[in-house]
Amino acid sequence: MANEQDEFLRATMGAVDLVYNLSRRLTDRRQDAEDLVQDTFLQAFRAWTDHRRPKKVEPWLATICLNLARSRYRSRARRPSEVPFEEWMVEGRSSADPESRAVQVIEREQLYRAMRELPEEQRVAITLVDLSGFSTYEAAEAMGTPRGTVLSRLHRGRRALARLLGDRIEEVIR
Amino acid sequence: MMLWAWRGFRRRPHDPERNAAEYVTGELSRRATRWFEAHLLHCEDCWREVLLGRLGRRVAEEAREQASAGLRDRVRAAVQFTSEGGPAGPSEPSSS
């Protein structure tokens, strides 16, 4: 069992950020997200010890996380957001290209509100593809939907987030 | 080149949302990318969708977070505990 445990941790711990980002988009509070991360890894470990092992751990963990969120956390995730804003604050990153500069002018508050206001399917598609680096094929498998649906959700979500930039878009176009 | 692009535009199915999503995600083949980039010069709808898609992706990337060291330790400990015969049930959802 200790060997299995080590093997499991070696194979999966690199995906903690991925599962955490996904969990953050599926729950209202940081604490709930952390609980969901733990549950995802425990369920994955049980499957691992039953010799149900994936070819690739990231989509496998994402699928477990999504299924757990759907079955256990969904009603919480749908509640109107009353999350203290600090819960969603992270450090911004600085870069110099025009798009990044335009993005940096967005108020952090606006960014997190916009993410939370996206329909869950769009939020998940964006989290898997843009935040976690999944292909749309992998995201489709994890979400259990056709790839065309993922592309559509992804694009609509991106478009909604881009609207945050408002007039700044004109500056970037020039 | 422009004639080729125009012919391509006429031949290919025209779905600005889907094309833009695939292009921005980097999932078009090299050939399809060449076609699409030429097509963008003539198609206002696709140009606009690509612009919005790229900006939206950049905005989304700003929301990326790192799990804390504490959470990593907690996951490791939970797996270890389960592995040593502790109860494998899910964590109790925390109360509001």
Side-chain angles (χ1 to χ4, degrees):
Chain A
M1 195 73 161
N3 269 350
E4 277 189 326
Q5 172 202 307
D6 291 344
E7 203 184 337
F8 172 78
L9 290 172
R10 256 200 313 276
T12 60
M13 283 305 284
V16 173
D17 281 343
L18 182 159
V19 178
Y20 180 61
N21 274 285
L22 189 54
S23 299
R24 286 284 271 155
R25 306 298 172 273
L26 292 166
T27 55
D28 284 340
R29 301 182 316 150
R30 192 183 297 272
Q31 182 60 48
D32 294 336
E34 293 187 350
D35 288 347
L36 182 54
V37 172
Q38 179 180 318
D39 293 348
T40 299
F41 276 83
L42 284 180
Q43 183 150 324
F45 182 57
R46 283 196 291 276
W48 189 276
T49 54
D50 286 344
H51 301 286
R52 286 178 282 140
R53 299 179 187 188
K55 286 183 199 152
K56 206 172 168 188
V57 292
E58 289 86 355
W60 178 61
L61 289 170
T63 305
I64 293 172
C65 182
L66 283 169
N67 288 339
L68 277 174
R70 282 179 188 137
S71 62
R72 189 170 164 200
Y73 291 85
R74 191 162 218 169
S75 58
R76 289 164 154 268
R78 279 185 170 174
R79 275 192 323 210
S81 176
E82 294 163 10
V83 187
F85 175 58
E86 313 79 69
E87 281 272 305
W88 290 91
M89 296 295 282
V90 290
E91 289 296 313
R93 285 169 286 133
S94 63
S95 39
D97 62 279
E99 276 177 23
S100 298
R101 283 201 302 273
V103 168
Q104 280 165 10
V105 303
I106 304 170
E107 295 289 331
R108 309 302 295 172
E109 184 177 3
Q110 277 181 289
L111 170 58
Y112 292 107
R113 271 201 192 125
M115 281 292 274
R116 291 195 57 72
E117 281 169 12
L118 290 179
E120 185 181 299
E121 289 79 10
Q122 291 178 15
R123 218 182 319 144
V124 169
I126 282 182
T127 303
L128 291 177
V129 177
D130 290 343
L131 272 71
S132 308
F134 280 33
S135 69
T136 53
Y137 297 94
E138 290 169 330
E141 200 181 329
M143 294 173 76
T145 53
R147 177 173 174 258
T149 307
V150 172
L151 285 169
S152 170
R153 289 172 179 172
L154 185 61
H155 188 69
R156 286 172 191 179
R158 285 173 178 164
R159 202 165 49 192
L161 291 176
R163 289 205 180 103
L164 277 176
L165 292 169
D167 297 339
R168 299 277 171 177
I169 288 174
E170 296 301 321
E171 287 174 30
V172 176
I173 294 171
R174 267 185 245 136
Chain B
M1 177 72 167
M2 284 173 67
L3 183 61
W4 172 80
W6 173 244
R7 283 179 179 157
F9 169 73
R10 289 177 63 155
R11 272 203 307 271
R12 284 170 187 257
H14 186 237
D15 182 346
E17 274 192 13
R18 187 186 172 106
N19 290 347
E22 288 184 305
Y23 179 68
V24 171
T25 311
E27 289 185 350
L28 287 178
S29 67
R30 193 178 294 179
R31 187 175 173 175
T33 300
R34 274 204 308 272
W35 167 78
F36 190 62
E37 286 175 348
H39 167 72
L40 283 176
L41 299 175
H42 306 281
C43 181
E44 190 65 32
D45 288 346
C46 285
W47 173 257
R48 182 180 168 76
E49 293 306 321
V50 165
L51 181 72
L52 289 171
R54 286 176 62 186
L55 288 169
R57 184 177 166 106
R58 296 301 292 264
V59 172
E61 285 170 348
E62 289 292 308
R64 187 180 286 127
E65 294 175 79
Q66 270 202 323
S68 65
L71 177 59
R72 288 169 204 279
D73 290 345
R74 179 179 159 187
V75 168
R76 252 191 218 100
V79 169
Q80 201 165 8
F81 184 64
T82 304
S83 167
E84 286 165 1
S91 64
E92 280 301 308
S94 48
S95 56
S96 305

